[in-house]
Amino acid sequence: MFRKLLIINADDFGASNGVNTAVAHVRREGLITSASIMVTGDAFDKAVIIAKNDPQLAVGLHLALSNARSMLDRKYIPDIVDKCGRFGDNPAACACKYYFSRRAKAQIRSEVEAQFDAFAQTGLPLSHVDGHQHLHMHPAVLPTVIEMAKQYGAHGIRLPHDPLMVNMQVDRTRLVLKIVTAIGHGYLAWMGENTLRECGLSTCEMSIGAMMSGDMKIDHVIGMLGRIRAQSVEIFFHPCASERTDPQGPNQGDMQTLLDARLKEYVIANGYVPATYADLKPEVER
C-alpha cells in the first residue's frame, strides 16, 4: 500500500527577519519539513545560515518574478523591472508581459538563471522549485525552470492544484478570489502537468495554500486534509513572527497554525508521513 506523504512547506524564507524567525521557530517546535527560499529577499543571507544549521530541513528555490526585487541589475532586464529594480506587484499583468513580449521572455530567462545560480552559490542542496505567486508555472517561464531544475539537481516542482470544491466545503469566504485562482492555476497545471512528469521531476497530487493564502487557520487545514483523497499532498504556509504587510502574505496566524498541537495530532492519527520532495521520487517510480 502506498504511504500518504505530506509535505509541509514554509514559503518566502529569507524575505524578512520576521519570516526567518518564524521558520526557525516552527521548525524546532512544529511540523514543517521544507522551506522555499527567496534569493532576492532582504534577509536571504540569514536564511542561508539557518538552513545550514539544520541539514535535515529541505530547502527549495522560491522563484520571484513578481512583487519582489530582481537578482540582476535593471540594465540587463529593463523591460521587466522598474527603476528600483522591482517586478510589478500584479502577477496577472506580469504574466501577460512575459507571454507577449519577446524581449521580456529573453530577460526572464536571464533572471531565472541568475536566481538558480544564486541558490547554487549557497552550497545548499536544491530540494525543489516553486514560485512567488506561482509564476514559475507560466508557459514562458516553465521551460527554463525545468531546464535549470534538472541541471541543479532538484527533486521536484510545485504543481498548483488546490481543489476549489473542497475549499468551498471547508470555508465559503473569498469566493471570487478562489474562482479566479482555480481558473488561473487550473490552466497552469493543465499546461505543465504532462511536461513535468515526462521530464522526471516529482509533483504532489494536491498542493494546498493558494486559495486561503495569508489565512491558513487550523480548522481550514484539518478540514482540507480530511476531505481530499491523494497519496501525496503539499501544504504551504507563510509564517512570520512580525506584523503582516501583505493581506495574503507572511503572517503570525500561519505560524500559530503550524505550532498548534492539533495539527500534529491529526497528521499522526490519520496516517500521514511527513515528507519532502526527495521522498516523492520512489513513490512515482513505484
Side-chain angles (χ1 to χ4, degrees):
M1 179 180 293
F2 288 111
R3 298 175 297 166
K4 293 195 296 184
L5 301 181
L6 178 63
I7 297 173
I8 300 182
N9 191 81
D11 281 6
D12 296 343
F13 191 29
S16 69
N17 287 326
V19 173
N20 288 352
T21 298
V23 171
H25 182 51
V26 171
R27 173 65 177 164
R28 289 192 302 269
E29 306 294 337
L31 276 175
I32 66 166
T33 57
S34 62
S36 302
I37 198 167
M38 295 181 69
V39 297
T40 64
D42 292 339
F44 167 61
D45 291 339
K46 292 182 179 178
V48 172
I49 294 172
I50 293 171
K52 287 187 174 181
N53 287 331
D54 185 0
Q56 298 305 310
L57 177 67
V59 182
L61 172 62
H62 195 57
L63 196 67
L65 301 174
S66 63
N67 188 228
R69 288 190 296 110
S70 65
M71 174 59 60
L72 294 176
D73 189 273
R74 184 176 183 272
K75 65 182 178 181
Y76 300 111
I77 50 174
D79 295 285
I80 59 175
V81 295
D82 61 19
K83 293 180 180 179
C84 297
R86 288 188 61 87
F87 299 104
D89 289 338
N90 187 322
C94 291
C96 289
K97 180 187 295 185
Y98 302 159
Y99 189 82
F100 290 108
S101 170
R102 184 176 299 178
R103 288 168 58 90
K105 287 180 182 178
Q107 292 171 25
I108 277 292
R109 178 179 177 86
S110 298
E111 175 65 19
V112 170
E113 290 175 345
Q115 291 192 27
F116 269 93
D117 184 63
F119 185 99
Q121 293 300 317
T122 68
L124 294 168
L126 179 59
S127 164
H128 60 277
V129 183
D130 52 48
H132 197 50
Q133 300 178 327
H134 284 85
L135 282 178
H136 69 295
M137 291 297 299
H138 188 285
V141 179
L142 184 59
T144 304
V145 171
I146 291 174
E147 178 186 336
M148 294 292 102
K150 294 175 70 174
Q151 177 179 330
Y152 287 100
H155 297 285
I157 294 179
R158 179 184 295 162
L159 185 69
H161 190 185
D162 201 345
L164 174 62
M165 296 310 297
V166 179
N167 263 278
M168 294 310 300
Q169 290 171 9
V170 177
D171 189 317
R172 294 187 176 276
T173 63
R174 298 187 177 185
L175 177 59
V176 175
L177 174 63
K178 287 179 179 179
I179 292 174
V180 171
T181 300
I183 294 172
H185 288 182
Y187 171 74
L188 295 177
W190 175 72
M191 290 288 291
E193 186 170 14
N194 289 334
T195 302
L196 289 174
R197 286 178 177 171
E198 290 171 1
C199 72
L201 291 164
S202 301
T203 62
C204 285
E205 292 177 58
M206 297 287 178
S207 180
I208 300 168
M211 293 186 182
M212 292 300 291
S213 180
D215 196 24
M216 293 284 282
K217 293 184 173 64
I218 184 66
D219 290 340
H220 175 76
V221 175
I222 290 177
M224 291 295 294
L225 287 174
R227 287 170 172 82
I228 59 176
R229 297 293 178 264
Q231 296 294 341
S232 58
V233 179
E234 178 183 11
I235 307 180
F236 55 93
F237 296 82
H238 297 85
C240 187
S242 54
E243 295 294 330
R244 73 168 68 219
T245 57
D246 180 347
Q248 297 182 36
N251 64 96
Q252 295 175 336
D254 279 20
M255 182 174 69
Q256 294 307 315
T257 296
L258 286 165
L259 293 171
D260 196 311
R262 287 174 292 171
L263 180 58
K264 182 178 290 187
E265 291 169 2
Y266 185 89
V267 167
I268 294 172
N270 287 272
Y272 281 101
V273 179
T276 67
Y277 272 88
D279 299 313
L280 297 182
K281 193 75 172 181
E283 300 299 318
V284 171
E285 291 174 347
R286 286 168 58 187

